[in-house]
């Protein structure tokens, strides 16, 4: 009989997640921790079950049918079975609502994002429209538009699947991808004073949702970002007919294939202004920051799934006379990835805690500035890290990691969306510059110093790495091109350095309260791979190499 390798197994993804459990023990009051335990346990069980069930069925993808048999345009999108069950799970576990409910005060966002983190991989990226719905609820609250708040929030934050709404965030166009200021969609008032939208949106991930927030340029407004206005629209009328929306096609994507991302035309869609008839990017910024937080949490969830599978497999798989996990090089490889994950985990969940404090009105001014800068830092670093860990996971499985029905390649294909969605790494690095310039760099330095004091010392030169980044920022502040050219290195250094301060604090707590040496070991490994990613001066060399096509 030929040898048959046993497949990797996943246990309850809450019970098995030492890092999540210890973080929640550390960060939450015991009453909140106890109140959410059973929901997290159920989500952890569902995550494992969904993984194993997915291995046993043929993958399915959404389907767009544009015309019925008699020639009527219908634009019907059938979603996958997992998506059809998505609203029920989202409502039952409050995947959006928990972040907005007052029961757990400033801990609401930590509770919510622990749920999202456990559910994400099992959801087939149903978390994408949930993220945008959360962003829309947050932006509408911030707008103060009472009519829209009363109309949409009870649906967006519903715990009843029958009344739960999903929202889209319709920004991206053919000319305006990152440069949203090039938006071509027009907004025009008809004879009744009703705003109507006309134009093409090139990536709409939630056209199956009930509403959307969309940017458009009111007729007569000038070019550029600040003249754009933010509009609210519902996708269908009371009879279920499309509201002036045509679905041109679903995108053929590298990953996230269960997510029906569409190209659409707006052809007189009825819409309401959210605020003034300008400054729409400022009004939609809460959506950006919330979805970037979701992006970071979901990237973290992919890393955790990869590591859970890779470690389990390394215990099962024998090579050269012993389990892979007993092989020094394989063990060192996985441990280094685990260390990166543990540092990233501390950063992302620190951001969720800070968001909860800011929204609950419990935060000082410094904490608001810190949240503004840590949000893009967490998003950009975890996006890159998820791809790296997913790629290493494929390799850790050898040939099996390249075979579709193991489920491993999909983790890599899906992970590649994290650095792209919601702003690429470079766009986010430039956003970090925006945030650093408005008190962010000082807030970050003060917070890092306080965290290192709590950690009881700085054995790995974390303070020095952050100080060097701060000096680099100050030295380049007036050389805009040099500042931008080095922005990615600066951002990665700040993300790694600040994550290290958080991991140091957590490691000191874990050692003191439960004699757990693993977070300290993670910190040592993380720091050993270097905290600084500051770019050496490369402006001139980059300019020369830009001409690399000439013979
Ligand atoms: C499972 C994972 C969950 C995630 C799912 C998400 C799926 C969503 C799919 C998508 O929709 S992806 C499309 C996402 N597109 C982007 O993220 C756009 C990328 N481009 C940017 O982020 C640009 O930086 C931006 C368009 C926001 C601004 O570019 P500009 O034209 O240079 O604008 P400007 O003048 O710098 O900023 C305009 C205003 O917004 C300024 O405020 P004021 O009007 O008061 O001066 C900025 O300070 C403010 N602003 C910009 N970014 C901000 C912000 N405010 C707060 N937070 C921010 N992040």
């Amino acid at each position: 009989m030929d040898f048959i390798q046993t497949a990797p197994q996943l246990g309850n993804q809450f019970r098995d997640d030492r890092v999540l459990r210890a973080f929640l023990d550390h960060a939450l009051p015991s009453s909140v921790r106890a109140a959410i335990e059973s929901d997290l346990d159920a989500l952890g069980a569902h995550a494992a079950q969904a993984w194993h069930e997915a291995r046993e069925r043929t993958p399915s993808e959404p389907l767009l049918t544009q015309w019925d048999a008699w020639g009527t345009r219908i634009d019907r999108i059938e979603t996958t079975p997992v998506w059809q069950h998505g609203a029920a799970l989202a409502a039952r576990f409050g995947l959006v609502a928990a972040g907005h409910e007052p029961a757990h005060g400033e801990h609401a966002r930590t509770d919510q994002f622990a749920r999202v983190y456990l559910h994400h991989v099992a959801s087939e990226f149903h978390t994408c429209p949930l993220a945008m719905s959360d962003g829309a609820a947050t932006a509408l609250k911030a707008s103060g538009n009472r009519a829209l708040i009363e109309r949409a929030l009870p649906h967006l934050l519903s715990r009843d699947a029958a009344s739960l709404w999903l929202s889209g965030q319709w920004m991206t166009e053919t000319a305006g991808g990152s440069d949203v200021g090039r938006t071509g969609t027009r907004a025009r008032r008809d004879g009744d004073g009703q705003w109507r939208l006309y134009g093409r949106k090139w990536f709409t991930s939630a056209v199956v949702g009930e509403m959307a927030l969309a940017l458009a340029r009111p007729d007569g407004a000038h070019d550029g970002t600040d003249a754009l206005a933010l509009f609210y629209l519902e996708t269908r009328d009371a009879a279920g007919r499309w509201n002036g929306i045509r679905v041109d096609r679903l995108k053929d994507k590298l990953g996230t294939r269960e997510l029906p991302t569409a190209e659409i035309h707006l052809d007189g869609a009825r819409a309401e202004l959210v605020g003034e008839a300008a400054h729409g990017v400022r009004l939609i910024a809460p959506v950006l920051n919330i979805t970037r937080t979701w992006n970071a949490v979901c990237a973290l969830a992919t890393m955790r799934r990869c590591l859970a599978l890779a470690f389990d497999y390394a215990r099962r798989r024998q090579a050269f006379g012993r389990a892979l996990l007993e092989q020094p090089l394989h063990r060192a490889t996985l441990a280094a990835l685990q260390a990166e994950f543990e540092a990233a985990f501390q950063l992302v969940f620190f951001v969720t805690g800070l968001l909860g404090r800011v929204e609950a009105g419990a935060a000082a001014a410094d904490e608001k500035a810190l949240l503004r800068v840590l949000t893009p830092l967490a998003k950009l670093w975890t996006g890159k890290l998820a791809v790296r860990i997913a790629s290493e996971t494929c390799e850790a499985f050898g040939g099996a990691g390249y075979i579709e029905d193991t489920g491993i390649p999909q983790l890599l294909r899906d992970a590649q969306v994290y650095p792209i969605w919601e702003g690429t790494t470079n766009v986010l690095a430039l956003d970090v510059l925006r945030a650093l310039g408005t008190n962010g760099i000082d807030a970050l330095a003060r917070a890092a110093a306080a965290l290192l004091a709590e950690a009881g010392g700085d054995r790995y030169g974390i303070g020095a790495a952050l100080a060097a980044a701060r000096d680099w920022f100050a030295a380049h502040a007036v050389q805009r091109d040099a500042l931008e050219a080095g922005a990615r290195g600066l951002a990665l250094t700040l993300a790694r350095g600040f994550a290290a301060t958080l991991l140091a604090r957590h490691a000191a707590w874990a050692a003191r309260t439960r004699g757990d040496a693993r977070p300290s070991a993670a910190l040592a490994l993380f720091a050993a791979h270097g905290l600084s990613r500051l770019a050496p001066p490369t402006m001139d060399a980059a300019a020369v190499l830009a001409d690399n096509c000439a013979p």
Side-chain angles (χ1 to χ4, degrees):
M1 175 83 174
D2 286 343
F3 170 76
I4 306 280
Q5 174 63 47
T6 56
Q9 298 294 311
L10 284 183
N12 180 309
Q13 287 301 285
F14 175 58
R15 292 183 200 173
D16 289 357
D17 194 333
R18 161 183 66 84
V19 178
L20 172 64
R21 295 178 70 90
F23 177 86
L24 296 177
D25 291 347
H26 187 181
L28 295 181
S30 53
S31 58
V32 177
R33 177 75 179 78
I36 64 177
E37 175 84 9
S38 66
D39 270 7
L40 299 187
D41 197 56
L43 283 165
H46 174 72
Q49 186 188 347
W51 172 264
H52 293 297
E53 283 175 4
R55 307 282 71 75
E56 286 163 16
R57 63 166 186 266
T58 308
S60 62
E61 297 189 359
L63 185 69
L64 169 65
T65 304
Q66 288 173 308
W67 307 95
D68 77 3
W70 309 102
T72 302
R73 183 86 190 231
I74 52 171
D75 291 350
R76 186 181 66 229
I77 298 172
E78 284 163 66
T79 56
T80 68
V82 167
W83 267 63
Q84 288 163 25
H85 197 49
L89 281 167
R92 175 179 162 205
F93 290 105
L95 295 175
V96 177
H100 294 259
E101 290 166 349
H104 300 321
E106 67 182 70
H107 304 292
R109 289 294 191 176
T110 299
D111 169 19
Q112 174 197 15
F113 282 113
R115 294 162 190 265
V116 171
Y117 165 80
L118 287 170
H119 183 55
H120 167 62
V121 179
S123 83
E124 292 185 349
F125 281 79
H126 190 252
T127 36
C128 168
L130 294 178
M132 293 188 283
S133 306
D134 189 354
T138 308
L140 289 177
K141 277 187 194 173
S143 77
N145 185 324
R146 294 299 337 154
L148 292 183
I149 290 170
E150 281 164 27
R151 169 79 181 147
L153 256 66
H155 292 291
L156 294 170
L157 305 182
S158 175
R159 288 242 185 195
D160 172 8
S163 62
L164 185 73
W165 279 8
L166 295 178
S167 176
Q169 164 205 1
W170 296 353
M171 300 201 317
T172 308
E173 302 194 1
T174 46
S178 297
D179 187 0
V180 171
R182 295 182 68 190
T183 292
T185 296
R186 316 294 308 186
R188 194 169 300 148
R189 277 182 193 277
D190 66 17
D192 300 328
Q194 170 72 58
W195 284 101
R196 290 183 179 274
L197 306 187
Y198 300 85
R200 176 152 73 163
K201 295 289 179 184
W202 192 238
F203 278 91
T204 59
S205 283
V207 77
V208 293
E210 286 75 11
M211 61 163 277
L213 295 181
L215 289 172
R217 195 176 305 281
D219 266 354
H222 60 80
D223 289 347
T225 305
D226 63 342
L228 294 172
L230 182 62
F231 289 89
Y232 163 96
L233 64 113
E234 293 177 13
T235 52
R236 292 174 184 270
D237 65 16
R241 290 176 301 241
W242 284 107
N243 169 21
I245 296 168
R246 275 184 287 123
V247 183
D248 295 331
R249 62 176 162 170
L250 298 184
K251 295 283 195 186
D252 186 8
K253 293 172 290 176
L254 171 68
T256 70
R257 295 187 67 89
E258 300 94 339
L259 169 68
T261 304
E263 293 166 19
I264 63 171
H265 264 95
L266 300 173
D267 189 12
R270 288 180 313 284
E272 311 292 334
L273 267 177
V274 172
E276 56 179 320
H279 300 296
V281 171
R282 194 192 294 164
L283 286 164
I284 207 171
V287 183
L288 298 179
N289 291 327
I290 291 291
T291 51
R292 287 170 185 176
T293 307
W294 278 71
N295 203 100
V297 170
C298 295
L300 204 59
T302 290
M303 294 179 218
R304 161 68 193 152
R305 176 58 54 88
C306 287
L307 290 166
L309 292 165
F311 271 97
D312 180 83
Y313 189 68
R315 285 185 203 98
R316 293 171 189 280
R317 176 74 177 167
Q318 300 277 326
F320 306 110
R322 50 186 170 172
L324 288 182
L325 203 55
E326 303 304 322
Q327 300 280 0
L329 183 52
H330 195 79
R331 184 163 61 192
T333 304
L334 292 191
L337 300 177
Q338 174 72 19
E340 295 279 326
F341 161 73
E342 292 198 28
F345 186 100
Q346 295 300 326
L347 178 61
V348 172
F349 272 88
F350 181 79
V351 168
T352 69
L354 205 51
L355 175 63
R357 281 179 59 72
V358 169
E359 290 182 338
D366 238 19
E367 290 182 290
K368 290 182 191 163
L370 188 61
L371 177 64
R372 175 68 184 89
V373 69
L374 290 183
T375 303
L377 284 178
K379 192 281 184 189
L380 75 85
W381 179 40
T382 56
K384 299 303 270 188
L385 191 54
V387 176
R388 199 180 126 216
I389 289 182
S391 172
E392 288 281 1
T393 299
C394 291
E395 199 174 331
F397 277 85
Y402 205 64
I403 300 302
E404 280 295 338
D405 56 3
T406 62
I408 310 294
Q410 183 176 354
L411 290 167
L412 176 60
R413 286 188 283 101
D414 286 350
Q416 185 60 62
V417 85
Y418 301 127
I420 295 174
W421 251 356
E422 282 307 314
T424 59
T425 309
N426 285 354
V427 166
L428 270 284
L430 298 177
D431 188 49
V432 169
L433 295 183
R434 221 189 247 117
L436 287 175
T438 48
N439 199 27
I441 191 78
D442 297 330
L444 194 142
R446 281 192 286 269
L451 287 163
L452 287 174
E454 266 191 74
D458 179 6
R459 292 172 52 202
Y460 298 104
I462 303 168
L466 286 170
R470 195 178 179 193
D471 291 346
W472 188 94
F473 179 65
H476 293 81
V478 291
Q479 303 163 262
R480 187 68 204 180
D481 281 0
L483 187 66
E484 290 194 8
R488 189 192 277 222
L490 175 68
L492 290 172
T493 305
L494 292 173
R496 294 180 70 80
F498 199 80
T501 67
L502 293 162
L503 186 53
R505 179 183 65 162
H506 180 73
W509 173 86
R512 187 176 67 247
T513 61
R514 46 187 68 185
D516 187 351
R518 288 170 292 188
S520 299
L523 175 61
L525 270 180
F526 179 66
H529 284 91
L531 298 176
S532 179
R533 297 291 185 268
L534 287 178
T538 54
M539 288 285 294
D540 293 345
V544 172
L545 273 182
D547 192 21
N548 70 356
C549 289

